[in-house]
Amino acid sequence: MNSNDNNGILNIDSSLYKTRISPKFAARKRYVPVNLKQIVSHIPGTILQILVSEGSVVKKGDDLLILDAMKMKNRIKCPADGKILSIATTTGAKVSKGSILLELE
């Protein structure tokens, strides 16, 4: 993109299009693929129970912990097969959205 104008190139399904790029579009937050090795909190809440320990072997769909949010008990499930590398939270901890809860090996 040339700094003197607002033209740019978009790549959509491997086809290139020359178009005007708005300042809002140019400053947008870029897409980052989900890291299946990090389990993060998608809502703020309190950790009620941790169901695994470091070194536990887990399978996709296994319950990892229980997160209480808005009086609902949410079971956080494992997104992929693996082994628990580290637990970044404790029972009773208040976590915010985006906080790392567990890491898989």
Side-chain angles (χ1 to χ4, degrees):
M1 187 159 103
N2 191 340
S3 62
N4 295 335
D5 60 15
N6 59 352
N7 289 331
I9 303 292
L10 287 179
N11 182 348
I12 301 173
D13 294 330
S14 300
S15 297
L16 299 178
Y17 299 93
K18 186 174 180 181
T19 185
R20 285 183 282 154
I21 304 291
S22 70
K24 182 178 179 181
F25 181 82
R28 75 194 184 282
K29 182 178 176 183
R30 301 288 180 170
Y31 170 75
V32 177
V34 175
N35 182 356
L36 296 178
K37 300 293 182 185
Q38 289 184 335
I39 289 82
V40 297
S41 174
H42 295 287
I43 52 177
T46 304
I47 304 298
L48 291 183
Q49 188 177 7
I50 299 173
L51 305 171
V52 294
S53 59
E54 289 183 9
S56 298
V57 176
V58 292
K59 301 243 185 250
K60 182 177 180 177
D62 286 353
D63 291 336
L64 299 175
L65 52 88
I66 299 174
L67 175 70
D68 179 47
M70 301 185 304
K71 299 182 182 177
M72 301 274 302
K73 292 175 177 56
N74 299 285
R75 291 185 173 270
I76 307 300
K77 303 214 177 260
C78 189
D81 294 348
K83 185 177 181 182
I84 302 296
L85 180 65
S86 66
I87 299 174
T89 190
T90 59
T91 301
K94 297 197 182 303
V95 295
S96 59
K97 179 180 178 180
S99 298
I100 296 174
L101 304 173
L102 302 164
E103 288 187 288
L104 296 174
E105 199 170 82

